[in-house]
Amino acid sequence: MARWNEGVFDSDLSAELVLRQAEIGVIVADRQGNVLFANEHVAALLRLPSDASKIAGQPLHALGFIPDGDLPKAAQLSRQVLSGMTWEGTFTGSRGDGTLVFLRVLASPLRHSSGDIGGMVIMVTEAGRRDAQREQGWVRLLERIGERLAGSLELDTTLRHVAQILVPQFADHCFIDLISGDKLVRRVMTHAGSWEPAAGTWAGVGEPISYPAGHFMQQAMERLETVVVPDLHAEYYPAPSEESMSAADQAGLTSVLASPLCARGELLGVMALALSRLTDRPDPHYDLADGDLVGAIASRVAVAIDNAMLFEAERQTALAFQQSLLPQEVPELDGLEVAFRYVPAKPLETQGQGIQTQVGGDWYDIIPLAAGRVGLVIGDVEGRGPRAAATMGQLRAALRAYAQDEQAPADIMRKLDEWVRSTAPAGAGGDPPTVSCIYMIYDAWSRELTFANAGHAAPLMASGGAVKPLEVRHKGVLLGVRGRGIRGLPTYKEQTVKLPSGAALVLYTDGLTDRRSREDGPGHYTEAEAVAMLRDAILAAASSGAAEGGAGTLALAAENAVPGDIDDDMAILVLRSSPEELASAERTFPAEPIMVSEARRVAASTFAAWHMDPDQADLACLLVSEVVTNAVLHAAVTPSPAGRRFDLDLDPPSALPAAVPGVPGAASVPGVAAVPAAAGVPTQWPGGVTAVTAQTWDSPVAHLAPSQRPREFVLRLRRGGEAVWVEVFDPDLRLPRLRTARATDEGGRGLYLVEQLATRWGSRPTSEGKAVWFELPLNGR
């Protein structure tokens, strides 16, 4: 027996001999596109009038298989192959006899032994009309999928777009399952003709699914390659359940393609396409070529899914960061109902900035203050993304600290403006962010609303069957604007209004009304149109009687007032004053020690009328005595500066000395006579109170004579739903501080008792002095 390499083939077996006899068209062309060689099959395939030997020297387009309309495609072929890559595609040309021909072309670079590319080797086969048309449809399909995948970074939107393109053009059913933790979860299920499987058969969107061993979906994930099932009836594949199999039989599944979704070397899930009897197709079966297409689609979808998941993780991180800085629950408030909303914008493509998270710097806050008052703020930091959210968090913390220090709204705005300007980036040309903000203090017992504004939109007030903007006389400038070189800007000013009973205020950021896409055509609503829709929605909600027009109802109505996707994140804060009056009692007393017992008696009778727990009322009266005693001392007794005391028995001089040694600012205080005295000398004051001069004191009010000092204090009692508040006002500017009394001290323990026994306590400056307050549970809880 002869070996395989012995016999007639021992003679020369030239490449030209093989190529001339091959049943495939072979063309060799130089770099200019001129034919160097063509075998006999080319001449027969193209029905050329001359034999193959006479084709050499002609340009490629002269052969007829490249029509004039495909010349750009031919130029692309040449560029790609001569750059060292292969090219594959289809041409629809004409034969020598004028008949139409569909040709499948595969072109490769022709390399010399030196490695240089000297031309091209083109292999040509005839393709049926159906194959050529199908391939052109595939190209268009891939282009459409690419466009849809590039248009969104939201995972659910991305998957839904893919399914809408594939069904029903290429499939009757589309399934996309993604790995979540240790489970496989169905994320998309789309069917042609609005057909839906019976409940409990196929896993629904959001439900976990498990495929048995041998299932084509399981095989695709295990082998990491596309599995083609041309005919489901010719092969057996186990189903996840009997119910699933019955649903497949009901739909009449005929053929399936299952392809893994892999990106960056990681398996993300699996995608399956299926044909069935739901549509009337000439051939309801897939082939291997279809599997190649689905594999290409799956690779693109996997990259888009991976990008969307990374983007969603970044977005959720920024959103969680921002929402962690916002109030999660409304604190216990008396006489005020509050509701809020925060809505991040969907990821949108913005000019010059790419696709962003749309998490911004909008914020709001609700801050319990002294004696049942509450601070309310809403603001918007310029820009969006994690940087804006971080700036917002720092700004909110600073404002909360200033507010809990009981500072006035205008003072807080000035301090915040300084803080924002201090955040300007280092180096030349760095500008700080700009921030709009409005801060309010509401007193539910007096219904007074005091606020200062820094360029924020005026809130809308719903009251008496009408909705109109709150009158803001001083709009103010944005925080941080002064840092941009603008001088001479007005300072921030306070304004006080009284809210009517049951009135509601709706505060919002510009994301609610700015650049909202029109529902009736292209473009955007103007801000005036958006504000008008917002007012109408608030009025309708306030007049509907739903939940008595509560704050939550108004907040929801405001959120949905303007149609269309928002271009920026938005925050909404709604507050509604109680229609009921809150219980309170107030009385003014002379600043005399004997009035301590009288103040305690008034407090005891008031607590009894409020049905306060007797033990709790006794405790409250004890603390009233301590706070009132301090008020009497501070209202009637003023220590003098170190080394001096004032002769309070002398008549006030007609003119003030130019300066009092050792007393800064004394020249500006009228009616003060400086008399040297040693520190520690007792002074007798009207009312029998003896005070000892302090070692140091620099308050201008301390230099006033008693005849010019207001000598009264005010006791104010307030009852809320769960607590009572006691406030004592006196004209002294000094705020008390807690100190630890020594064993030999006769005093200094009053505030310590208040600190230990009250729920909360504090002090705040007033326009005429100060107020000391404490809070106790109403019934001792």
Side-chain angles (χ1 to χ4, degrees):
M1 178 181 292
R3 292 178 296 177
W4 69 269
N5 58 347
E6 294 180 350
V8 295
F9 293 106
D10 289 343
S11 60
D12 291 338
L13 187 63
S14 65
E16 182 177 352
L17 177 63
V18 174
L19 293 177
R20 288 191 181 281
Q21 298 184 20
E23 293 295 322
I24 184 173
V26 179
I27 303 173
V28 179
D30 61 15
R31 295 183 64 88
Q32 287 72 38
N34 299 316
V35 177
L36 301 177
F37 170 83
N39 66 354
E40 298 295 337
H41 192 78
V42 171
L45 182 63
L46 299 179
R47 297 178 186 176
L48 298 176
S50 57
D51 59 25
S53 61
K54 297 181 180 181
I55 298 176
Q58 299 184 33
L60 279 174
H61 63 82
L63 302 183
F65 72 93
I66 301 178
D68 293 341
D70 282 348
L71 288 179
K73 185 190 294 187
Q76 180 188 3
L77 178 154
S78 179
R79 287 193 303 271
Q80 184 168 324
V81 173
L82 294 178
S83 66
M85 297 181 291
T86 60
W87 186 93
E88 186 176 3
T90 303
F91 287 105
T92 304
S94 59
R95 294 189 174 98
D97 57 2
T99 59
L100 191 67
V101 64
F102 299 96
L103 298 177
R104 181 72 177 176
V105 175
L106 175 64
S108 303
L110 177 64
R111 299 181 185 273
H112 294 298
S113 58
S114 63
D116 296 334
I117 298 176
M120 300 174 286
V121 178
I122 302 173
M123 297 185 180
V124 184
T125 57
E126 183 175 7
R129 178 188 299 267
R130 176 176 179 271
D131 293 336
Q133 293 175 343
R134 183 173 68 169
E135 181 175 307
Q136 293 176 0
W138 286 355
V139 172
R140 288 193 296 267
L141 181 64
L142 286 173
E143 289 176 350
R144 289 180 59 198
I145 290 177
E147 291 174 359
R148 287 296 184 94
L149 294 179
S152 174
L153 276 178
E154 280 192 304
L155 182 59
D156 291 338
T157 303
T158 298
L159 300 179
R160 187 171 63 252
H161 284 173
V162 171
Q164 290 172 350
I165 293 174
L166 294 174
V167 177
Q169 179 177 344
F170 189 73
D172 297 328
H173 310 268
C174 177
F175 308 90
I176 299 179
D177 304 329
L178 297 183
I179 297 173
S180 177
D182 57 349
K183 296 180 180 179
L184 191 66
V185 179
R186 177 144 295 168
R187 299 299 297 265
V188 168
M189 182 170 62
T190 303
H191 313 282
S194 301
W195 180 84
E196 291 294 334
T201 55
W202 288 345
V205 175
E207 297 179 1
I209 185 170
S210 177
Y211 295 108
H215 193 276
F216 44 82
M217 300 283 265
Q218 185 67 26
Q219 289 184 20
M221 290 188 289
E222 286 182 356
R223 291 154 47 181
L224 296 181
E225 61 183 26
T226 301
V227 174
V228 181
V229 183
D231 190 349
L232 272 175
H233 300 288
E235 300 182 60
Y236 170 75
Y237 290 94
S241 64
E242 293 183 4
E243 292 79 8
S244 174
M245 181 65 77
S246 64
D249 293 339
Q250 180 185 0
L253 292 187
T254 57
S255 185
V256 175
L257 296 172
S259 186
L261 300 172
C262 300
R264 295 185 294 119
E266 181 179 355
L267 178 65
L268 305 179
V270 62
M271 178 178 72
L273 302 176
L275 296 175
S276 67
R277 301 298 179 184
L278 295 179
T279 57
D280 185 14
R281 300 177 186 271
D283 184 9
H285 298 87
Y286 290 123
D287 55 24
L288 294 178
D290 295 320
D292 295 337
L293 172 65
V294 172
I297 293 174
S299 64
R300 289 165 171 77
V301 172
V303 172
I305 290 174
D306 186 55
N307 290 336
M309 293 174 69
L310 291 174
F311 178 81
E312 187 66 18
E314 177 191 347
R315 182 171 182 265
Q316 290 299 326
T317 299
L319 183 59
F321 170 61
Q322 183 178 46
Q323 290 185 333
S324 67
L325 299 173
L326 297 176
Q328 304 301 310
E329 297 180 356
V330 179
E332 292 290 337
L333 302 174
D334 288 300
L336 186 66
E337 184 185 0
V338 177
F340 46 75
R341 293 282 192 280
Y342 173 76
V343 183
K346 293 183 178 180
L348 300 175
E349 187 171 356
T350 56
Q351 292 183 352
Q353 298 180 6
I355 299 178
Q356 299 190 3
T357 62
Q358 298 301 99
V359 176
D362 293 16
W363 96 97
Y364 49 83
D365 205 356
I366 306 155
I367 310 167
L369 300 177
R373 301 180 311 148
V374 60
L376 302 135
V377 62
I378 191 168
D380 184 2
V381 179
E382 171 194 29
R384 55 173 64 105
R387 183 179 297 277
T391 301
M392 175 273 292
Q394 294 174 320
L395 188 63
R396 175 178 176 264
L399 186 145
R400 177 172 276 264
Y402 296 146
Q404 290 180 330
D405 200 28
E406 301 292 346
Q407 298 191 32
D411 293 336
I412 290 179
M413 289 294 106
R414 284 189 285 270
K415 287 182 176 293
L416 290 180
D417 180 59
E418 294 176 4
W419 182 88
V420 171
R421 283 186 281 145
S422 70
T423 63
D431 288 330
T434 57
V435 182
S436 69
C437 177
I438 184 169
Y439 175 63
M440 301 178 164
I441 296 179
Y442 181 65
D443 189 329
W445 282 263
S446 65
R447 299 188 185 277
E448 288 186 347
L449 185 73
T450 303
F451 60 91
N453 192 19
H456 202 80
L460 296 178
M461 183 169 69
S463 177
V467 177
K468 59 182 180 180
L470 181 68
E471 182 182 357
V472 179
R473 294 195 299 269
H474 310 289
K475 185 174 182 179
V477 296
L478 298 174
L479 304 177
V481 167
R482 297 171 189 266
R484 298 174 184 262
I486 302 176
R487 299 290 184 265
L489 296 175
T491 186
Y492 301 102
K493 297 182 179 180
E494 288 178 16
Q495 182 179 342
T496 299
V497 298
K498 195 164 187 176
L499 287 187
S501 173
L505 278 182
V506 179
L507 297 85
Y508 59 92
T509 57
D510 59 3
L512 179 59
T513 57
D514 189 29
R515 290 187 56 80
R516 299 297 295 268
S517 300
R518 301 189 69 92
E519 198 175 36
D520 54 356
H524 300 85
Y525 293 110
T526 65
E527 186 171 359
E529 290 174 323
V531 171
M533 287 187 281
L534 176 60
R535 293 173 62 176
D536 292 342
I538 294 173
L539 180 60
S543 306
S544 65
E548 301 180 355
T553 303
L554 295 177
L556 183 60
E559 179 183 348
N560 300 316
V562 187
D565 290 336
I566 58 177
D567 184 66
D568 191 8
D569 61 334
M570 68 178 181
I572 300 171
L573 179 63
V574 178
L575 53 121
R576 178 176 176 268
S577 64
S578 173
E580 301 176 356
E581 297 294 333
L582 300 181
S584 65
E586 183 174 313
R587 183 169 171 181
T588 303
F589 298 92
E592 299 176 358
I594 196 172
M595 291 294 103
V596 175
S597 60
E598 179 63 14
R600 179 171 179 152
R601 185 192 64 78
V602 170
S605 61
T606 303
F607 295 150
W610 288 347
H611 305 290
M612 191 174 180
D613 181 84
D615 294 336
Q616 194 73 358
D618 290 342
L619 175 60
C621 289
L622 170 63
L623 301 185
V624 167
S625 297
E626 296 296 335
V627 177
V628 167
T629 299
N630 285 338
V632 168
L633 292 175
H634 292 139
V637 180
T638 303
S640 59
R644 296 184 180 273
R645 69 178 178 86
F646 300 118
D647 188 351
L648 303 176
D649 295 329
L650 299 177
D651 293 332
S654 58
L656 182 69
V660 179
V663 184
S668 63
V669 183
V672 177
V675 179
V681 176
T683 304
Q684 190 70 28
W685 287 75
V689 179
T690 301
V692 178
T693 56
Q695 297 297 320
T696 58
W697 182 248
D698 59 359
S699 171
V701 179
H703 312 311
L704 295 178
S707 61
Q708 295 178 306
R709 291 279 308 268
R711 299 194 302 174
E712 293 178 335
F713 69 88
V714 178
L715 174 66
R716 177 189 290 171
L717 308 175
R718 289 179 166 183
R719 185 186 69 180
E722 301 292 337
V724 295
W725 286 272
V726 175
E727 281 186 292
V728 177
F729 299 82
D730 67 66
D732 188 63
L733 294 177
R734 295 170 296 178
L735 297 179
R737 62 183 180 87
L738 188 65
R739 67 183 181 87
T740 303
R742 294 173 296 185
T744 57
D745 290 344
E746 295 184 2
R749 297 174 178 84
L751 286 182
Y752 180 78
L753 287 175
V754 176
E755 164 76 16
Q756 295 297 313
L757 300 178
T759 304
R760 293 191 305 151
W761 80 279
S763 61
R764 60 186 176 92
T766 65
S767 58
E768 298 179 351
K770 71 171 182 297
V772 181
W773 61 275
F774 65 85
E775 175 188 347
L776 281 174
L778 185 61
N779 294 312
R781 292 193 297 272

